[in-house]
Amino acid sequence: MLKTIINIFNSQVHILIPRRITATLLASFYILAFVMSPYWSLARSESGVIINLSVIIGLGAIWSYFSAGDIQTITRVKTFLLLGFLLVGMTALNNATLTSVIPWRGDESTFIVRTRDLMSRVPIKFALLASFLFALIVFAVARRSSWMIFGGILLESYAIIQFLLNNPFKGIGAVLLLRWPYVNYWFYIIVPIIAKYLWDPNHEFLYRIIPLVSAVGLVWMVQNKLTRSNFLINLLWGGAIATIPIVFYYSSILYAELSAVFLMMIVCFHANDLLCNDFNNIRRNPGWPALVLLGFVKETVIVFLLCFLISRTVISVRRQITVSKVSLQDKIKNYLIGELPVVFCVLYPYVLYTVFRVYLINIRSYIRGYSPNLTNLFNLTLYKITAQSFIEQFGVFLPFFFCGLLLLLWKRDYIVAFFTLFLFIGVPLFYGIDTNSQAYLGYSRFNLFVLPPILVGSVAALNQISKWGKMASVSIACISISLNLILSPVYLDGTKVPYWGNYLLDTSEHYYPYDQALLWLKNNHSSERILFSEMFYNYYLSFYFAKLDWHPTYDVQLSPEHADEASTLSNILSDARLGRFGLVLYQVKGNDIPQPVEYGEFCLEKIFKNQAHTLLLFSRITACIDTYK
């Protein structure tokens, strides 16, 4: 019996997704990205709207047709068992961070606000109907049932048209639609919208499922490439990857980058075929859908796409040069015929999104442009900070990468070796020579795109370690986990280290105990007027008011970014007295509690602390508590 179970787990599973289904899925994703996400509606005239929509649909049909292929892959049953263990283990590992407070600053609160905004615009009836019709269309395409395909498409189109005719995006502007690719929000709302009708959408972890699943996916992919490793060793290496500082930090925060990294990982693990084979063959590769979908997810993926296309161009040109008895004109013709479809399929979604961003001029003030300056290459600070950030953010996997790179060269796996090295150098160099990004040198969100080549290169080193025996693999994996945890940017209470991943400019997330403070205020001062004194950036208080079902009378007063904290606090307490506020919740800039010049009628009633930051509650209706003892 045991032997039968083992044989089942080790048995191979051949997966074939016919081209017709691939085309359906790609077309559906495209519609979600460029039709359901109504960039086209921002045109200045009705004729412009019609032209935009016509061009989008027409080019989208061409893109879906050319991008689709018969996807073939082989896997084993045990890999899905491993995936289940990983999902449970990484959920447990990130439990505290998944449920931690929404940070002040960073962009997570903005992503959550916009996810909740979309959720409020989508009726549940439409969500259910559209999902059912989509499943019906995929089923009909799989069965090649012409009448079901036609009927499903007709009904789905009718549902979408009725949805858009109801003008659900009324009042939405270019900045909200186009600052980041809007298609992401359609996936972010899936879990919260289910919770909205079955439970309660006002829980932080509901908005962090996508990055967690992306992190699980990339760890799973690496494990599937490990050879001669047993189940326990695979789990240990999974733990080592999951605790890489940059992975641990971003596994539980709502950003689009980790989804892009997941797709990049798939591409990198299939780099040999994708870079070397012709257009018809690469469309059958499992990495191809990931490659053509990258342009939808994040605008900063352009550096990865350019590195891929440059690498493929070099390989294609070299191949054409080696062909004898063919004229130069024919070589150029063959190259263009072979490569232009690849370039179109890879870059079209990105270019279309970028055209809309450029076309809507009023969004430029919200987006950093790109201004390369090659003289930056002579600035030693670029290399010093980049090296420091790589050591702190990638931990022990940085030396694994270099060792793996040497092993790939020794095994003459030159394509993978040079592509991963190109990405490893190209990504930080792309940002390093950008004048507008100089202050962001070493920024962890930028460095996330270096993670795929580092993990792909590390696989060769991990497989070499497995040849040394089980004890060596277990020992090195455990040491790796320990070293990663020493460098960990995550505190035990789930908050994250302030300023981590920032070197020249503070643009990171800061975790203040607003969840604790607001719960305490509801239980003890629910009817009092509150002045929230935040720093120079508003906090997303509305989320917690909805979560607590509490709607107090309050105001928010921002303080100057570089003002003296003691005098600022005194001024805020004075303003609170004049405004007849009974309570002041003050956000401390650092970890030291400021001593105001003048308390006035207020006293310090309570201090709220987590491992990252502190909030002070001042009151003029209760006796002071001697919190300084």
Side-chain angles (χ1 to χ4, degrees), residues 465-480:
I465 290 171
S466 68
K467 296 178 181 178
W468 299 346
K470 293 181 180 179
M471 283 301 298
S473 295
V474 170
S475 300
I476 295 175
C478 290
I479 292 171
S480 300

Side-chain angles (χ1 to χ4, degrees), residues 111-177:
F111 277 108
I112 293 176
V113 167
R114 295 182 180 181
T115 299
R116 291 165 70 88
D117 174 74
L118 177 60
M119 188 168 61
S120 68
R121 296 174 185 270
V122 179
I124 186 62
K125 292 180 180 179
F126 170 77
L128 292 174
L129 178 62
S131 300
F132 171 75
L133 292 174
F134 169 70
L136 177 65
I137 292 170
V138 173
F139 175 77
V141 170
R143 295 293 299 271
R144 296 188 176 183
S145 176
S146 299
W147 69 271
M148 285 182 65
I149 295 173
F150 178 77
I153 292 174
L154 192 63
L155 289 173
E156 185 79 272
S157 301
Y158 177 78
I160 292 173
I161 290 170
Q162 288 299 311
F163 173 71
L164 295 174
L165 284 177
N166 287 329
N167 201 12
F169 294 99
K170 183 179 180 180
I172 198 168
V175 173
L176 196 156
L177 273 177

Side-chain angles (χ1 to χ4, degrees), residues 11-18 22 69-77 79-80 220-221 224-225 266 269-270 273 281-289:
S11 61
Q12 290 185 338
V13 178
H14 293 259
I15 300 174
L16 172 63
I17 304 176
T22 308
D70 295 318
I71 305 298
Q72 303 178 44
T73 188
I74 300 174
T75 187
R76 294 182 182 273
V77 174
T79 61
F80 296 103
W220 182 57
M221 279 189 292
N224 285 336
K225 296 296 179 180
I266 300 175
F269 277 127
H270 295 91
D273 288 339
N281 284 323
I282 64 175
R283 287 188 297 175
R284 300 189 184 100
N285 190 288
W288 175 251

Side-chain angles (χ1 to χ4, degrees), residues 263-281:
L263 296 176
M264 290 176 184
M265 285 286 296
I266 300 175
V267 175
C268 287
F269 277 127
H270 295 91
N272 252 324
D273 288 339
L274 293 174
L275 289 170
C276 299
N277 285 338
D278 60 34
F279 180 58
N280 287 329
N281 284 323

